[in-house]
Amino acid sequence: ERGAGGAPPRAWAAGADAGPPPPRAMIVPPSRLRARPAAGGPPLSAQPRHSAARPAGRLGQRTAGEHGHRLPATMGFLLGRRLAARLAAGRHRHGALGPGCHARRSRSGIARLAAPQGEQEADQGKDDVELARRFPFGLSTRDCPARLEYVPRELVDDHTQIFYAMINDTDRNDFYWHALRSCDLRGKLVLDVGSGSGILAMMAARLGARRVVAVDENADMVRLARRNIAANGLSHVVEVHHGLSTEFSLEERADVLVTETMGTWMTCEGIVQWCEDARRRLLKEDAVVIPARGTQYAVLIESEQLERLFACRRPYRGLDLSAVMELQDTVSNLWTKRVGIKPSDLVYRELGEPFPLMEVDFSATPFSALPAVLETRVPVKAGRVTAVLDFWTCEDAQGRQLSTNPRSRRCEPWAYARDLAWGNGLQLVGEEPPPPQPGAAEDDDPRWHRFPDRDALPGPGPVMDAGDLQLCKCACVYYGNGGFVRYGDQVQFREHSRKELLDPLNHVQASGCTLFVAKGGDGEPWGADEPQVPAPFDVEDDEEVLVVTSFQAEQRGAQHRLCRG
């Protein structure tokens, strides 16, 4: 938050004692940006969250110092002003958001006030996420059926958008049925991690398991799974526990682990971590894991349909609209189920063979062995690389496969269910234009004015690390500041207009500082005078394309970058 107080970089350059060093902060969210405490002033945790000149945040984003807790931004929009204000002020009755939410509010408003500032904000962020996850369906819609009033909105959305389709994916169900049947479960203990509706646990019980222990982190799903199990007369075999498997213990080790914790990206739901923890604490040494292994693939494709959805290169009746291609996203890995694409019906041509990105043995591979960056050289056919398509294939011990490859499900009755439940990753491809000044140093970005040994209008302002200067520039633009001053490994943002920061009368000598002022903003366009439009990535027969894949934290996805030869 932008608070009061702060020592200007002039004092830093002069070697004056400017108080404790500013805390290191991330770019997003704004609560992670800090004002530097003034020399001799109170510690940052004791300073007001907002200066007198700056009003509090918008409705639904009030701070802990005002109302004891903060509502996520979406809640203010969904509830309406009057109800949101009443909830934010803490005047709602116990139970209006459910006991869990009331307990969260109490902890946020009381216990966190005694915690250090950094811990307060970390706890606040967790509370916001948890409160949003438990947001009752009855508060987000009118004429809500009584059966849904207190059910978390997120749970209803997940079932509407994903889980009903998953349960009706008969090929998926058959894969697990045959894999379990081949284990000869008579007299064995089966562990089901991420049980959901309880379907896999009930399969194991029907196939002769002595005991089945199912674990799921969602309390509502545990309640409904128990009802399903009772309705099928299997309560004497199957027990369902609420919590994470990593926080669960068994009095005896299991013979079989079955889990369906794969997502659009094979490892994005944590299957490798769940299996690794279970092998260490919950399974016998010779336990069977279902699925046994899996491989994440990618393939370069050409698709006229994707061109029509995500590009604008063709003129319409002689009207050239290609300038908007400057905004084409060739960085994000899109999930087809979120952008309304049905991969099993997508018309595309593979320009090379699918290539593996990672291979996992769920009975042995530790999470630490998964790659961080991978380079793959791919021979291609002549064509235009429109996108990189991601899919995975899992197998059981007998080699039966479960795959999200769109080619494997064309014309199948369960294809649409798999499109909706899992779908595929899709990253658009383009040949990027050269930078505004090829070979220019990072500090010589032509989109910014740069003034060595200068500062302008020094005073309080948010501070962050200067380790990645480009990220600092992005943060400056995002928060609407006219510029920032860099000193050593820190930058401090200036909350003034570009015009004020460019005025020489406002400049002061500051040895070791560098003042950066944006050339865009204040109503003026950013970027070069000519549109920076990615060109089509056309390739020839027998050409080799280098695909550099960078895996996200916790292996929740990946980003691909294509280079020629």
Side-chain angles (χ1 to χ4, degrees):
E1 297 286 350
R2 298 167 179 169
R10 282 189 300 178
W12 308 344
D17 181 10
R24 300 187 181 275
M26 298 177 66
I27 294 177
V28 177
S31 59
R32 301 293 291 173
L33 291 176
R34 283 286 197 278
R36 185 179 177 90
L44 191 62
S45 58
Q47 295 183 16
R49 299 281 292 189
H50 294 276
S51 64
R54 185 177 180 188
R58 294 181 180 179
L59 185 65
Q61 296 176 306
R62 300 185 187 277
T63 60
E66 294 173 293
H67 296 310
H69 75 294
R70 179 174 57 190
L71 294 173
T74 52
M75 291 187 69
F77 171 74
L78 292 171
L79 294 179
R81 291 182 177 275
R82 184 173 301 176
L83 182 56
R86 182 159 52 94
L87 292 176
R91 293 195 295 270
H92 60 281
R93 295 179 181 178
H94 175 75
L97 293 180
C101 293
H102 185 88
R104 283 280 180 182
R105 185 184 69 85
S106 299
R107 188 181 72 173
S108 300
I110 300 174
R112 189 172 60 247
L113 293 181
Q117 186 75 18
E119 294 181 15
Q120 290 181 26
E121 290 189 347
D123 195 31
Q124 178 68 73
K126 294 177 183 177
D127 288 347
D128 286 353
V129 172
E130 181 65 20
L131 194 58
R133 286 173 60 113
R134 293 189 56 82
F135 189 72
F137 196 82
L139 287 178
S140 63
T141 184
R142 301 180 63 181
D143 302 324
C144 178
R147 61 185 172 84
L148 295 177
E149 281 182 337
Y150 307 117
V151 178
R153 175 68 192 244
E154 183 184 56
L155 187 62
V156 178
D157 289 344
D158 284 347
H159 275 73
T160 302
Q161 299 170 16
I162 299 174
F163 293 124
Y164 291 132
M166 186 178 295
I167 292 171
N168 288 292
D169 185 342
T170 53
D171 180 73
R172 161 195 175 268
N173 298 340
D174 288 344
F175 169 82
Y176 280 98
W177 176 268
H178 291 299
L180 287 166
R181 187 171 64 177
S182 66
C183 294
D184 188 12
L185 299 180
R186 291 173 294 181
K188 294 183 178 178
L189 169 60
V190 178
L191 174 63
D192 176 12
V193 173
S195 60
S197 66
I199 184 172
L200 301 184
M202 290 187 286
M203 286 183 189
R206 282 282 174 88
L207 290 169
R210 168 177 58 87
R211 179 187 176 199
V212 182
V213 178
V215 185
D216 197 283
E217 67 170 329
N218 190 292
D220 292 279
M221 287 309 303
V222 168
R223 172 176 59 84
L224 297 176
R226 288 171 178 165
R227 288 186 182 178
N228 285 337
I229 291 163
N232 286 277
L234 297 172
S235 298
H236 63 292
V237 179
V238 182
E239 55 192 79
V240 187
H241 297 269
H242 174 224
L244 297 172
S245 65
T246 53
E247 301 170 356
F248 181 75
S249 60
L250 284 170
E251 64 276 11
E252 61 173 319
R253 290 186 174 246
D255 302 281
V256 177
L257 167 65
V258 61
T259 183
E260 195 281 84
T261 48
M262 299 88 71
T264 302
W265 185 266
M266 183 178 69
T267 56
C268 71
E269 292 186 9
I271 184 171
V272 177
Q273 296 96 310
W274 304 135
C275 290
E276 182 179 8
D277 175 75
R279 290 196 308 269
R280 186 177 66 254
R281 301 186 305 105
L282 305 174
L283 302 182
K284 295 180 179 178
E285 289 188 5
D286 59 347
V288 176
V289 179
I290 303 173
R293 51 192 167 268
T295 304
Q296 180 72 52
Y297 291 96
V299 62
L300 307 183
I301 65 171
E302 177 183 50
S303 174
E304 177 71 19
Q305 286 184 337
L306 290 179
E307 281 278 341
R308 291 184 177 277
L309 289 175
F310 298 111
C312 187
R313 291 191 174 95
R314 295 185 180 86
Y316 174 75
R317 297 182 183 271
L319 301 176
D320 184 0
L321 304 173
S322 62
V324 297
M325 284 293 294
E326 184 173 304
L327 303 177
Q328 187 186 43
D329 184 356
T330 58
V331 177
S332 304
N333 195 303
L334 308 176
W335 287 5
T336 56
K337 63 185 180 182
R338 293 181 178 175
V339 293
I341 295 176
K342 185 181 177 187
S344 59
D345 282 348
L346 182 66
V347 178
Y348 65 88
R349 182 170 72 98
E350 294 181 354
L351 297 180
E353 293 296 322
F355 52 95
L357 299 176
M358 71 169 73
E359 297 179 356
V360 179
D361 181 346
F362 297 118
S363 299
T365 303
F367 179 76
S368 60
L370 299 184
V373 179
L374 180 69
E375 295 185 357
T376 309
R377 294 192 175 274
V378 183
V380 295
K381 310 169 188 174
R384 174 171 294 179
V385 183
T386 310
V388 182
L389 177 71
D390 297 319
F391 67 90
W392 51 259
T393 298
C394 288
E395 296 181 348
D396 66 4
Q398 285 67 43
R400 280 182 290 266
Q401 291 189 345
L402 176 66
S403 179
T404 61
N405 187 345
R407 293 284 173 88
S408 70
R409 60 182 185 266
R410 291 193 186 279
C411 303
E412 295 288 351
W414 43 267
Y416 196 24
R418 189 159 302 177
D419 287 339
L420 188 59
W422 277 322
N424 294 92
L426 200 66
Q427 183 173 331
L428 304 176
V429 173
E431 196 151 22
E432 294 298 324
Q437 279 190 353
E442 186 180 36
D443 284 356
D444 295 330
D445 188 334
R447 294 169 295 182
W448 291 77
H449 297 286
R450 181 173 175 269
F451 302 93
D453 297 325
R454 284 285 188 275
D455 191 5
L457 300 170
V463 176
M464 65 175 290
D465 280 343
D468 190 327
L469 190 59
Q470 188 56 38
L471 292 182
C472 297
K473 294 175 180 177
C474 290
C476 182
V477 174
Y478 177 74
Y479 293 116
N481 296 307
F484 60 89
V485 62
R486 179 183 186 180
Y487 180 78
D489 62 351
Q490 298 285 324
V491 301
Q492 186 177 43
F493 296 101
R494 291 287 172 257
E495 299 175 289
H496 304 278
S497 69
R498 293 171 51 254
K499 183 178 180 180
E500 292 174 313
L501 295 178
L502 289 173
D503 188 346
L505 296 178
N506 292 328
H507 287 198
V508 295
Q509 184 74 24
S511 177
C513 291
T514 302
L515 174 65
F516 290 87
V517 182
K519 290 186 179 179
D522 291 349
E524 297 182 12
W526 276 95
D529 294 334
E530 296 296 327
Q532 299 290 296
V533 175
F537 201 100
D538 295 329
V539 293
E540 302 295 335
D541 281 327
D542 301 324
E543 185 176 346
E544 199 173 64
V545 175
L546 175 64
V547 182
V548 181
T549 303
S550 302
F551 297 87
Q552 296 176 6
E554 302 298 322
Q555 295 290 332
R556 296 185 180 277
Q559 178 184 5
H560 306 289
R561 179 167 55 87
L562 273 60
C563 308
R564 295 189 183 273

